[in-house]
Amino acid sequence: LSLPGPGQALDPAVKHSLSTHMSAILADDPSPQVRLAAVEALQQLQPENLQAICLQQLKKEQHPEVSKALRELEFRNRRPDPDSSEY
């Protein structure tokens, strides 16, 4: 996946469509290599619901490399919980 460079915006509709497709691939493709590529694409796309996508997939992901990539991506994109004592 090649996204626009710095200072260049991706059309929001295209970003949404790509993110939706990458989420579907991540959820359904039998190949760990393809799912890992979907994680990398989602990392570049940074959809609003990225943390939720990662958490949902982590519930069922069995491949260690893909699980690790999902955990790392979720952690890097974690937002503070307004209801937590740390907020």
Side-chain angles (χ1 to χ4, degrees):
L1 179 66
S2 179
L3 297 176
Q8 298 176 320
L10 184 62
D11 180 273
V14 172
K15 180 178 177 176
H16 177 75
S17 179
L18 286 171
S19 297
T20 300
H21 288 294
M22 291 300 109
S23 297
I25 289 169
L26 182 59
D28 298 328
D29 198 282
S31 168
Q33 292 83 7
V34 172
R35 293 194 310 277
L36 191 55
V39 171
E40 292 168 2
L42 286 166
Q43 180 177 351
Q44 291 181 11
L45 290 165
Q46 292 290 307
E48 291 289 321
N49 62 339
L50 182 55
Q51 185 180 16
I53 292 168
C54 291
L55 290 172
Q56 181 66 32
Q57 186 62 25
L58 276 166
K59 292 178 185 177
K60 67 177 195 171
E61 183 57 59
Q62 298 293 313
H63 194 273
E65 252 186 276
V66 181
S67 290
K68 180 182 178 196
L70 284 165
R71 281 192 308 277
E72 290 173 354
L73 184 57
E74 187 278 327
F75 180 78
R76 285 193 304 271
N77 289 277
R78 193 173 291 169
R79 294 187 180 105
D81 180 358
D83 296 329
S84 73
S85 61
E86 293 87 22
Y87 189 75

